[in-house]
Amino acid sequence: MKNIDLAKTGYKKFADGDIEGVLDMFDPNIEWHECQGFPFIEGNGVFKGPEAVAKEVLNLIPEYYENFNIEIEELMECDDRVIMTGYYTGTWKATGKKFKANAVHVWTVKSEKLSRFFQAVDTATIVNPVKAKAM
């Protein structure tokens, strides 16, 4: 399977709410780098292993967001990396405000498993969305 197809499958499973299916796609030693300043993440945002990612990130999403979604604008593959550019959308429960925030993911694939994740997200837009002014 191509690395980009592996990533597409992971995003589809996430969208379908199949978190166990997503976790099964991870290398047992996955290194997960959550964006610094990301809401609800404590510490440095680096987690090791599928169980830590589930506990510290994925299982918390429904607690903090309503209708959280990843809108993929583009997926690119380069050697053992897959890059996703797109947006996070949903409602931040603490404010009740809807958001659409820029997001970039960089995945590293090793032996047909997702082995590293790096995220860059406009966290300010998530916690304090600003409506675009008409031009």
Side-chain angles (χ1 to χ4, degrees), residues 68-85:
F68 182 84
N69 188 39
I70 300 170
E71 292 182 10
I72 298 171
E73 187 170 273
E74 186 173 15
L75 278 175
M76 300 161 271
E77 181 175 1
C78 182
D79 298 324
D80 65 345
R81 301 263 171 18
V82 177
I83 298 100
M84 185 285 299
T85 60

Side-chain angles (χ1 to χ4, degrees), residues 13 17-25 54 59:
K13 287 177 185 269
D18 182 7
I19 299 304
E20 285 302 316
V22 172
L23 296 172
D24 287 342
M25 299 180 73
N59 292 343

Side-chain angles (χ1 to χ4, degrees), residues 22-38:
V22 172
L23 296 172
D24 287 342
M25 299 180 73
F26 290 174
D27 181 281
N29 298 309
I30 189 169
E31 187 175 292
W32 184 281
H33 294 259
E34 196 74 12
C35 186
Q36 292 292 316
F38 199 81

Side-chain angles (χ1 to χ4, degrees), residues 58-116:
L58 301 178
N59 292 343
L60 297 177
I61 290 172
E63 187 176 327
Y64 290 90
Y65 300 99
E66 288 179 11
N67 303 315
F68 182 84
N69 188 39
I70 300 170
E71 292 182 10
I72 298 171
E73 187 170 273
E74 186 173 15
L75 278 175
M76 300 161 271
E77 181 175 1
C78 182
D79 298 324
D80 65 345
R81 301 263 171 18
V82 177
I83 298 100
M84 185 285 299
T85 60
Y87 304 93
Y88 287 177
T89 62
T91 302
W92 179 242
K93 286 184 176 182
T95 63
K97 294 181 180 179
K98 292 182 180 183
F99 62 86
K100 182 174 184 178
N102 293 331
V104 175
H105 296 165
V106 180
W107 294 95
T108 303
V109 180
K110 179 177 146 187
S111 301
E112 295 192 4
K113 292 283 190 180
L114 299 169
S115 64
R116 187 174 191 278

